[in-house]
Amino acid sequence: MPLGDMIGLLRGLWSRESAYAGPFAVTIDPTSRCNLRCAGCGFHSPLLEGAPLDAGDLDRDLFAGLCRELETMGTRRLVFCGQGEPLLHPQLLDLIRLAKGAGLQTTLMTNGTLLTEEKIHGLIDSRLDQIRVSLWATTPEEYAANYPGSSPRLFEAMLAGLALLASISRSRASGLRVTLHAVLDRFNWQQVEAFVDLAIKAGVTALSFSPLHSHNGRLRDLALTAEAEQELKDSLRRAQSRLLRSGVQHNIAETIRRYEIGEAVRSEVPCYIAWTHPRIRVDGTVHPCGPCQRPMGNLREQTLREIWNGPAYRGFRRRVLDPDETELFESCDCSFCCHVTDNSRIHRVYQWIAPVARLLEN
């Protein structure tokens, strides 16, 4: 992290409620529409009451205004993520170009089923920096379990799209980083080696893993037992050497740490997300992160700069730093937090400042 960003971050943490630096990264949902019904999805799972969600597509002009703001706020990264399948947005390439024009490093998360040759060339031409293809299965049987009701042809489309993406990216020497991303649940956790095989065969840049979010226990039937988690960690450790020899990057150390912390995130690592990384939904609502559904404001009514230091965010920041706070975290799905690595880096510095800040406040 650049020194100026760190100083602004620590100054904000010292205040315990304000932000003296803009968000370092932003995650945004370009659409809520999806062509799959993944069992573990918090928006479209057939196992969750109220799914699927369909709130339409992100407004192009709203996004253009956001990009202009992010450029002035010093934000460096933007992730197009998954309230739905981003490639279903009819103006996605335009959105990527707007983000790149604002100097943002861009990442696209996709299920890979819509990756045609034409779309791949379009993504490369848009100067997209990274694309993460999410895959929850290595066999048709795993696919049927994790994508209930979806056509088996879509599994074949995923594999074909991933291979085509990696091949075209290499042939064009585009610099596009292609990552195969596997969410691990009770149907696929024994297939670490198979995911490694897929990554090596496809020729991707990286292979990443993440634990399943149970969405506050509503999908607990898909989660692993403690015994399975231990076996999985051993499998992940063994996979590292193969990936290293093949030149495929990975996040295995981070994944193992997330499993070791598990659901006890709050007691292990404080949350600093309110100073670093907001999540913006299709309708313009700003949340502190994906699992936290507390609205901080809406871009249709305020600018991000106004929201970023508005009363909702300031109040949230005070509560998130309170060691006695419980209700706030009970309403969020903080288990296996995907921000735990960034939060840990910040905590290594802030832990020496926090006692003084609390003492002066009192």
Side-chain angles (χ1 to χ4, degrees):
M1 181 184 296
L3 180 60
D5 288 351
M6 178 58 77
I7 291 173
L9 172 62
L10 292 176
R11 186 182 172 199
L13 289 168
W14 178 276
S15 77
R16 300 179 65 79
E17 67 173 29
S18 298
Y20 292 95
F24 304 134
V26 171
T27 297
I28 191 160
D29 297 309
T31 184
S32 63
R33 297 180 294 121
C34 195
N35 61 335
L36 289 177
R37 298 291 180 265
C38 306
C41 177
F43 302 106
H44 299 277
S45 172
L47 305 180
L48 292 177
E49 184 179 352
L53 169 74
D54 187 359
D57 299 326
L58 179 70
D59 181 76
R60 187 257 185 212
D61 293 336
L62 182 76
F63 182 74
L66 172 65
C67 288
R68 290 192 293 269
E69 268 204 281
L70 293 176
E71 186 172 16
T72 65
M73 295 176 78
T75 303
R76 291 179 173 82
R77 295 186 292 116
L78 185 141
V79 180
F80 294 101
C81 196
Q83 198 173 354
E85 168 49 49
L87 286 172
L88 286 172
H89 194 294
Q91 297 173 296
L92 179 64
L93 295 181
D94 193 24
L95 300 185
I96 296 172
R97 286 189 287 265
L98 285 168
K100 293 300 298 179
L104 296 164
Q105 293 182 354
T106 53
T107 297
L108 172 66
M109 301 181 69
T110 175
N111 61 37
T113 58
L114 303 175
L115 285 171
T116 64
E117 184 173 354
E118 179 182 3
K119 287 184 177 178
I120 292 170
H121 283 292
L123 291 170
I124 292 173
D125 292 340
S126 73
R127 298 187 295 123
L128 180 70
D129 295 289
Q130 179 179 193
I131 183 166
R132 292 174 64 186
V133 180
S134 178
L135 185 61
W136 296 52
T138 62
T139 67
E141 292 74 23
E142 291 167 32
Y143 173 84
N146 269 321
Y147 302 88
S150 298
S151 169
R153 290 193 298 272
L154 291 178
F155 179 57
E156 299 168 5
M158 288 176 173
L159 299 180
L162 177 67
L164 186 61
L165 173 65
S167 175
I168 293 176
S169 179
R170 287 195 305 271
S171 68
R172 291 189 54 176
S174 65
L176 175 63
R177 178 182 169 89
V178 179
T179 299
L180 171 60
H181 181 68
V183 181
L184 299 169
D185 65 7
R186 74 179 182 91
F187 296 119
N188 64 17
W189 69 271
Q190 294 176 305
Q191 302 302 322
V192 169
E193 286 296 325
F195 280 117
V196 172
D197 291 339
L198 281 176
I200 294 173
K201 181 179 179 180
V204 299
T205 312
L207 171 62
S208 64
F209 297 96
S210 69
L212 169 84
H213 275 289
S214 69
H215 299 284
N216 288 324
R218 292 184 296 161
L219 294 176
R220 193 168 296 279
D221 288 346
L222 301 181
L224 307 186
T225 64
E227 293 77 11
E229 284 186 13
Q230 185 56 54
E231 289 186 40
L232 172 60
K233 287 186 286 185
D234 292 339
S235 297
L236 288 169
R237 292 187 182 99
R238 289 193 296 270
Q240 292 183 87
S241 58
R242 280 192 66 202
L243 292 168
L244 179 63
R245 290 194 303 271
S246 302
V248 178
Q249 300 171 28
H250 60 82
N251 70 337
I252 287 178
E254 176 184 335
T255 304
I256 290 174
R257 176 162 168 73
R258 289 173 68 185
Y259 274 111
E260 289 174 342
I261 294 176
E263 298 189 4
V265 178
R266 173 66 171 163
S267 62
E268 293 285 336
V269 183
C271 178
Y272 302 111
I273 195 69
W275 282 269
T276 62
H277 191 156
R279 175 73 173 259
I280 302 173
R281 301 297 188 196
V282 170
D283 64 357
T285 303
V286 179
H287 297 280
C289 70
C292 181
Q293 298 303 309
R294 293 174 179 269
M296 299 290 105
N298 192 290
L299 295 180
R300 298 180 186 277
E301 301 165 0
Q302 298 171 281
T303 66
L304 181 61
R305 189 181 294 275
E306 290 170 337
I307 295 171
W308 191 235
N309 269 306
Y313 248 122
R314 291 201 307 271
F316 182 86
R317 291 182 180 121
R318 280 194 165 276
R319 294 182 67 184
V320 86
L321 287 184
D322 183 352
D324 298 322
E325 175 66 49
T326 57
E327 186 273 335
L328 178 71
F329 293 95
E330 287 174 356
S331 65
C332 297
D333 183 19
C334 294
S335 62
F336 304 108
C337 175
C338 62
H339 299 288
V340 70
T341 298
D342 290 338
N343 284 333
S344 295
R345 292 193 187 106
I346 295 169
H347 187 62
R348 280 197 290 269
V349 178
Y350 181 64
Q351 65 180 325
W352 305 107
I353 301 173
V356 179
R358 285 197 295 267
L359 180 64
L360 292 177
E361 183 182 41
N362 296 329

